[in-house]
Structure formats: structure tokens, C-alpha cells
């Protein structure tokens, strides 16, 4: 059973920083892609940042230059460093990744961690 466990959310003032961490139950190298999505109240879930097989990294336009995603193969973790946070970054952040299973590709999700940017 693949498990993804997030940590590091919380309350931060505008302009501040937070670092989210996602611990995977297995090697992150086994994922076709792994990264972070978020969902704000009343909005659809959206991709924030993702590491794809082969090492390519993609960011949402809204976070480019402010957020950095990184993977640690030794620790099986994927972190999201968030700087210059804005109120519109407030959301539940979900670690997620796609792996191949006996039934085909499947996306696995963590339980989510709340990030609130407010003064």
C-alpha cells in the first residue's frame, strides 16, 4: 500500500515562508510523477509543482519564482519550499503521485495539510 504523509503546514503572514514535506512509503523513484497540488475553498484542485520521471519539473504559473520543489531519493521525501507567500496561496496542500500498478497507472494522495496566509 502506497502512503504519502504531508507535514509542515500552518499559519504564516504575507511575505513569509513555509516548507512542506511529503514522506513516501516507498522509493520516490518508483513514481511516474510526484508533487503537490492544492485546493482553496470553493475552487478546484490545481497542480502546484511536480517532478516527472526523467527529472523534469513543472510549476503552476502562479507560483513560479516563489516555490521550489525538491526530491530526496535517500529519504524518500518530496519537499515544497514556499517563499513570498500571498493570501491567495491559502489552501489545503496535497502530496500526490502516480505509480504503475497491476491494474494500470494509479494516482495516490496524501491526507492534505492546511496552509493559511494571513496577517
Amino acid at each position: 500500500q502506497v502512503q504519502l504523509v504531508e507535514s509542515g503546514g500552518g499559519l504564516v503572514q504575507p511575505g513569509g515562508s513555509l516548507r512542506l514535506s511529503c514522506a513516501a512509503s516507498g522509493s520516490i523513484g518508483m513514481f511516474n510523477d510526484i508533487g503537490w497540488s492544492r485546493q482553496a475553498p470553493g475552487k478546484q484542485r490545481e497542480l502546484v509543482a511536480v517532478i516527472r520521471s526523467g527529472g523534469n519539473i513543472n510549476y503552476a504559473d502562479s507560483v513560479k519564482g516563489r516555490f521550489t520543489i525538491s526530491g530526496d531519493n535517500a529519504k524518500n521525501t518530496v519537499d515544497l519550499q514556499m517563499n513570498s507567500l500571498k493570501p491567495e496561496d491559502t489552501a489545503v496542500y496535497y502530496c500526490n503521485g502516480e505509480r504503475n500498478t497491476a491494474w494500470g497507472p494509479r494516482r495516490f494522495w496524501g491526507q492534505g495539510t492546511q496552509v493559511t496566509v494571513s496577517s
Side-chain angles (χ1 to χ4, degrees), residues 50-102:
V50 62
I51 302 174
R52 303 192 186 278
S53 59
N56 291 332
I57 291 176
N58 296 112
Y59 294 97
D61 287 343
S62 59
V63 307
K64 284 181 181 177
R66 301 188 297 122
F67 290 12
T68 302
I69 189 171
S70 60
D72 188 324
N73 289 313
K75 296 181 179 179
N76 293 326
T77 57
V78 177
D79 290 356
L80 184 67
Q81 178 65 42
M82 305 185 293
N83 299 329
S84 302
L85 282 161
K86 305 175 181 180
E88 51 263 44
D89 294 317
T90 295
V92 178
Y93 284 70
Y94 296 91
C95 179
N96 65 100
E98 181 187 274
R99 283 189 59 168
N100 295 324
T101 72

Side-chain angles (χ1 to χ4, degrees), residues 102-117:
W103 300 273
R106 177 184 169 185
R107 184 159 299 278
F108 296 87
W109 294 85
Q111 80 285 356
T113 186
Q114 177 71 46
V115 171
T116 302
V117 185

